[in-house]
Amino acid sequence: MSKKSAWAGAIVAAVGLTVGGIAVATAAEGPDRVPNAAFAERHPGGPGKPGRPDKAKLKDSTLVVGRVKSVESGKLTITKDDGSEVSLTTDSATKLRGGDLAGLKADQRVTVRVKDGKALNVALAKAQERGTVKDVNGDNATLVQVDGLQTPLDLSAVTEKPKNGDLVAVTGSVTDGKTIKVEKLRQLPK
């Protein structure tokens, strides 16, 4: 027997013992028994599920997408994309990804996870566009997209400003319903 054959046989045997050991351990727990506590500590979501301790809280929730109409203490009003308005209650448990609810402003585009009329969490929607830059003037520019649409850009958060004619991909948030406040700008090859 060659050394390669011996090693291959040893690896196959080790894999077989490992798989067999897992099967025996699983069978010992049985279908009606609680899973191993050590496994549950490492995997809070349970066997085969990544840990998401708040997943039960999100069950039966819906997603509202639109623009902020107003933010008051305990209340968030959203104008949905279909033009209808929805008023949601908020409290100290309502989370804004990356900030504080008091920092929300009218006309910001958001996605809100809602359950029973209460906003569970709010996220500012990110705009992503590609196109050619024109009319660069300090922190302002215009992006001409592939389909010909023109979008105003706020470049105040970008350290390296693009030049007229640059082909770019931008990511940011829409501040006034039309202008993208650019957070990331990537030059694309021409």
Side-chain angles (χ1 to χ4, degrees):
M1 180 186 284
S2 72
K3 282 186 176 181
K4 285 184 182 178
S5 296
W7 276 106
I11 291 172
V12 168
V15 169
L17 289 173
T18 302
V19 171
I22 291 171
V24 168
T26 303
E29 285 184 359
D32 298 331
R33 296 192 60 197
V34 177
N36 181 327
F39 179 86
E41 285 178 20
R42 289 190 309 270
H43 304 283
K49 298 176 187 168
R52 279 201 57 177
D54 63 344
K55 191 170 185 178
K57 185 170 93 170
L58 296 179
K59 186 176 183 200
D60 300 324
S61 66
T62 58
L63 198 61
V64 173
V65 180
R67 297 193 185 283
V68 174
K69 180 174 182 182
S70 64
V71 181
E72 301 167 20
S73 179
K75 184 178 173 186
L76 173 64
T77 304
I78 304 293
T79 303
K80 295 178 8 179
D81 289 343
D82 65 5
S84 65
E85 285 185 11
V86 60
S87 291
L88 307 168
T89 59
T90 62
D91 61 20
S92 61
T94 304
K95 303 294 181 208
L96 172 65
R97 190 180 335 153
D100 181 19
L101 281 179
L104 282 177
K105 296 180 178 78
D107 277 337
Q108 284 183 307
R109 189 159 174 74
V110 293
T111 58
V112 184
R113 180 63 63 180
V114 178
K115 183 174 182 179
D116 299 327
K118 180 185 180 297
L120 301 175
N121 54 46
V122 181
L124 292 173
K126 295 291 181 186
Q128 298 178 347
E129 296 294 343
R130 293 177 181 209
T132 304
V133 176
K134 76 171 199 172
D135 300 332
V136 178
N137 183 10
D139 286 339
N140 299 311
T142 302
L143 183 71
V144 180
Q145 298 166 33
V146 177
D147 57 6
L149 294 176
Q150 296 188 20
T151 304
L153 301 177
D154 175 353
L155 301 169
S156 60
V158 178
T159 55
E160 192 171 321
K161 310 286 190 237
K163 296 182 272 322
N164 284 327
D166 283 352
L167 186 60
V168 298
V170 297
T171 302
S173 54
V174 179
T175 55
D176 61 359
K178 58 186 176 200
T179 303
I180 298 176
K181 182 172 176 76
V182 179
E183 296 164 8
K184 288 172 64 176
L185 183 136
R186 183 172 49 100
Q187 295 280 340
L188 299 174
K190 290 184 181 184

